[in-house]
Amino acid sequence: MSSPLPPAPAPSLPAALPEGAFRPLLYLYARLTEARAVTLTLSGEGGAPVWQGGWPAPLSGEADDAPTGTLTFRREDLRGTLAFWSAARPPAGAGEDGPHPFVACLLEELALHAEQAELRSAHEQLRAVVQEAPLAVYALTLEGLVKHWNAAAEQTLGVSGSEVLGRGVEDTALGQAFAALRRSASRGQGSIAPQLLHLPQPDGEPVEVTLTASPVPGGLVGTAQRTTPEESGRHHTRRQLALLESVLAHANDAVLITEAEPVDLPGPRIVYANAAFTRTTGYAAEEVLGGTPRLLQGPRTDRRALDKIRRALKRWESVVVEVVNYRKDGSEFWVELSIAPVADETGWYTHWISIQRDITERKQFAEHLDRERAQVLELAARNAPLSQVLARLSGTLERQFAGRRAALVLPGEPPEVYTARGDADQDRDGWAQLLAAPEGEEGGAPSVWQHPVTGAEGRRLGTLLLRGRRPGEPNADERAQLGAGAQLAALVIERYEAHRALERHALYDALTSLPNRVLFERELQRTLAQARADGQPVAVGLMDLDRFKLINDTLGHSVGDALLQQVAARLRAALGPRDTLARMGGDEFLLVLGAAATPADVGRAAERLIQTFRQPFLLAEREVFVRPSIGFSIFPQAGTVVEQLLQQADTAMYQAKRRGGGYALYTPEGEERLAAMTLETALNRALERGEFVLHYQPQLEPHTGRLTGVEALVRWEHPELGLVSPAEFIPLAEVTGLIVPIGAWVLRQACAQAVAWAALAPELRVAVNLSARQFQQPELAETVTRALRESGLEPGRLELELTESMLMHALEAHETLQRLKALGVRVVVDDFGTGYSNLAYLKQYPIDGLKIDRSFTAGVGASPVPAGRDEALVKAVMDLAHALELEVTAEGVERPGQLDFLRGRGCDRVQGYLTGRPLSAEAFGALLAQGLATD
C-alpha cells in the first residue's frame, strides 16, 4: 500500500536523528491498529538510510516472518516504509483530503526534530561566539550555580571555567558579589545595581571589577569588566554622593551646610538645608539659602553656648552644645547642635556641617521630672506612707505619657499595686494580672509598656506599667523617660526598705520576729491610754520557760534558738487578734491580753497558753517537754504605768515558778515574800551566769590513808551576796524545780573534772548527790548517760548518793535504780539512819554502799567519855552493811579519836574536816600534783 504525500514541501532532514526519535509514534500506531509489531525505514536521496527502528525494540521474532502488510510513502528526497505484523484489521488508507494519518504525524514530528536541530546549531554558534567574545560573560542560577563562564570571564575574574561550571564560586569576595546580584534578581527588580569588587592579581596589585547582571527565568546573566582607577573613583564618588544625598534627605535630624567663612559676623552662608530642617523650623529651603544660622537665634539663646561655638569655629574644631532655637513662627525649641568642619582633598576646610536634633521633649521632661522628683522626695522625707508617694509618682507618669495609665507593681502574694487613684482604683487586680500575662496574650498586649524597677545592686524591686490604646513599642525618648521614672521609684522604695529595716532592727526580735521590749512598751503605753479613756481593764503578762538553760547547755544554743522560735509560733497561734505578743529577751515573753480583763478571763487565757506546751517540741530529732511559768497583772488594779505593771507581772511569774510552773495573778500579798523572790530571781539567773562552782571533799581509807574518792559539793558565789549557803538556796531550788538543771550541771561538771584528774588519780571515784526532784525525773538515766559520754568517765568511777526518804517516796525507785545500775555506776544511800530506817530496801534495792550521817559519828571516840550508844549504833550499822557486802563511808570525821574508832571497827572510808576540807577544783588538783596518796 502506498500513500501520496501532501503538496507542502517536506521538512529538511536533520543531520542526525536520535535513535528513539519515532518510537513513541510507532507504539501509538501499533496500539491503534492492534499490530503485534511495527517497523519504519526512512531513507534519503540515493537511498541513503536516515533512520530505522521499530516497536517493540528489539523485535522478538517477527523480523523472520513476512509482514502482514506495508505502507510506503515518498516526498521529494524522503522515502519511507512502514511494515506491520498480525494486525486485527488492515490499516486505514489515506483520506480524500490528505495522506495517511500516520504519515502526517510522521512529517510533523520530523519537522519538529529538524527545528530542534537548527536551534541546537544556533545555540552552539552563539555559545561559540560568547565563548570567544572579548567581554567577560557569565550566567548563574538563582541558587548560585554557574551555567556559563566564557574565556574572557576566566581572564577577567581569574577563575577557570572548569573550576566553577555546574557549581558555586568558591572565592569569597566574588561569591558575595554574586550573592548580592542573585538577591536582587530573586526580588524581581527590573534593574540590578552593579557590584564593585577588588580582585587580587598574581603581581599583588588588586584590580577593580564591575559586575552587571540582568534577570532571566531561573537565574541571571551578566558581564564582568575591569575598571580604571579614574573610572572607579568617579563611580565611587557618584555612589557616595547619591548615598549622602539620600541620607540627608531622609534624616530625622535637621542638617545645614554652610560655607567655611566668614567665622565672625555676619557668619557663614547657608548652602544646603535638608527636609527635616524645614519641617522643624517652618522655614522653606529657599528662605534660608544664602542666609546665616543666626536667623534661628532669639532672646533665650544661651550666649555661653554661642561663645563656645565661636571659639570652636575659630580653631576649626568640632563642637556639641545644647541651645534654644526659634522657629519661623517665633516658638522655642531645644536642640542638640553638633558642628564639624568639612575639608576637601587637599585638606582645606571648605564648609561646616551642622546637625540639629530636637530635644525639646527630653528637656521638658527633665525639668518636669526634676520638679516631680523634688515633690516625691519631699513626701518621702516627711515619711509619708509608701502608697501615697508611689501614687504621686504614678500620677506624674500619667501626666508625662498622655493617654496612658500608670501603675507600680511590687512583688508579693498578692502583688502590691500602686496607682494614681490609690485605693479607689477598681482595676488594681487587673494590673497584677496584666503583669502575669505572657507577652502577646490578652493583658500582655503591645499597648502595655513595662519597665523593671531595679535597686542599686540589681535587685528586682517591682515593675512599672503603662497602659494605653496606642499600640507599638516606646521610642528611645519614651524608654529613657520610663527608665527615669523607674529609677525614681527604686530610690523611694529602697529608702522605705532601709527605713523599715532599721525600724525592724530596733523594734523587733531578730530570732522570733516578734516585737521586742521597746516596741511592746510603746504599744502598751498606747493601749493603756485608750483603756484609760474607755474605762476598760488590761491584762499584762510575763512568761518564762522552765529548764531552758538546761536545754541550751545540753543540746546547744542553736537548739535553744529553735525552741524559742517554736514557742513563739505556738503562742501566736493560741493568742487572739487583739492580743499582743513580744519577746523580752532570753526565754521571757511579754503579753497583753486585749480581750481578757477579769481574773477569770485571765485564767482561761492562761490555760489556753499552757495547753500549747502539753505536746513535746521536736528539737534535734528528739522530743523535749518545756513548762512555762506565767505571771499576770491587771490595769488599773495592780498599777497604772507600764513599768509597774511589768514589775508586778514579774513578781507573779516567780510566784508561779515557786509553785512548779503554771500561772499566777499578781496580788499585794505576794510582796511579803519579796526577799525570797529576790533570791529566787537571782537563783534563776545564777546557772546561766556561771555563778555556781563545785568544791571537792576527799574520802580516804582509814587504815592506809589512801585517797579513794571525792564528794562534789555545789557552791553559789553570788556577785553581790557573796557565798550563799547551800542551806538557803538548795531548798529554794527544790521548790522551784531549778534543782533539776542545777543537778544536771553538777553531774556533768563533776564527771568532767574526774576525767581531768585521771592522770594524777586514775582510780579516783567522784560522788554526786541526787535531789528528790532529780530522782523523780524520767530522763535521769539519760542525763547520767549523757554526762558519762560527754566526759568520757568510766561508769564505775561515778557514785550517786540518794537519801532514804527518796527511796521510800519514789514510786518507781526500783526501776530507776535498775536503770542506773545498768549503766555501771555505783549507788550509795546518803545520811543513813536519819530517814525511815526501813531495812527492807537494803535487800530489795541494788545499792553498793551506805554513808553514816555525821549525827551518829559525832559522839564516837570522844574523850574522856565516849558516847556509848553512838558507838554501838555505828558499829551495828557497819556490821549490817558488811554482812550485806555493802561499803560503809562515815561522814563528819573531825577528831583523831573518831578516826581511831572507825579504823578499829573496820570502816571502809571516812570523810570530814580531819581528813580534808572541801576545796576548789584548782586547789584539789594542786594537792594531787603534790603527791596526795591515792594508792
Side-chain angles (χ1 to χ4, degrees), residues 731-748:
L732 183 59
E734 285 275 8
V735 171
T736 60
L738 292 173
I739 193 64
V740 175
I742 293 173
W745 176 85
V746 170
L747 187 62
R748 294 194 305 274

Side-chain angles (χ1 to χ4, degrees), residues 57 276 545 806:
L545 303 180
M806 289 165 55

Side-chain angles (χ1 to χ4, degrees), residues 381-603:
R382 296 205 305 262
N383 288 325
L386 180 62
S387 58
Q388 181 181 348
V389 180
L390 294 183
R392 178 63 175 271
L393 178 56
S394 298
T396 300
L397 292 169
E398 289 184 358
R399 289 187 291 274
Q400 180 63 33
F401 294 92
R404 288 188 176 271
R405 289 188 56 198
L408 281 155
V409 183
L410 274 55
E413 289 296 337
E416 301 177 34
V417 180
Y418 299 94
T419 68
R421 293 154 188 79
D423 293 335
D425 195 331
Q426 301 298 319
D427 197 25
R428 294 168 63 88
D429 294 338
W431 284 105
Q433 295 172 2
L434 196 67
L435 180 63
E439 190 72 22
E441 295 185 5
E442 183 181 356
S447 61
V448 177
W449 297 348
Q450 298 187 15
H451 197 288
V453 178
T454 307
E457 299 180 355
R459 182 169 59 91
R460 184 71 172 260
L461 303 175
T463 304
L464 171 60
L465 296 176
L466 283 174
R467 182 173 63 189
R469 295 184 178 277
R470 178 170 65 88
E473 297 297 324
N475 58 34
D477 286 340
E478 289 169 333
R479 284 195 298 270
Q481 296 167 14
L482 277 172
Q487 184 179 7
L488 181 56
L491 181 65
V492 170
I493 293 170
E494 286 193 316
R495 183 189 183 281
Y496 273 83
E497 285 184 345
H499 183 266
R500 282 201 301 265
L502 288 174
E503 185 180 59
R504 186 162 192 84
H505 180 74
L507 300 177
Y508 288 85
D509 175 55
L511 180 63
T512 62
S513 299
L514 294 175
N516 61 13
R517 179 168 182 167
V518 175
L519 180 58
F520 177 83
E521 291 185 355
R522 182 186 302 176
E523 293 299 321
L524 180 57
Q525 191 72 42
R526 186 180 298 112
T527 300
L528 294 180
Q530 185 64 43
R532 189 177 292 109
D534 297 341
Q536 296 294 325
V538 175
V540 179
L542 177 62
M543 188 186 77
D544 178 89
L545 303 180
D546 299 341
R547 299 176 60 243
F548 178 74
K549 180 65 170 60
L550 175 63
I551 295 172
N552 246 356
D553 290 344
T554 55
L555 300 181
H557 289 281
S558 61
V559 175
D561 290 345
L563 172 61
L564 292 175
Q565 291 171 334
Q566 292 184 34
V567 167
R570 290 193 186 183
L571 292 176
R572 269 195 296 257
L575 292 171
R578 296 175 55 192
D579 301 332
T580 302
L581 175 66
R583 184 185 176 203
M584 185 173 182
D587 61 337
E588 292 183 333
F589 293 85
L590 296 164
L591 305 161
V592 174
L593 303 180
T598 67
D601 294 334
V602 171

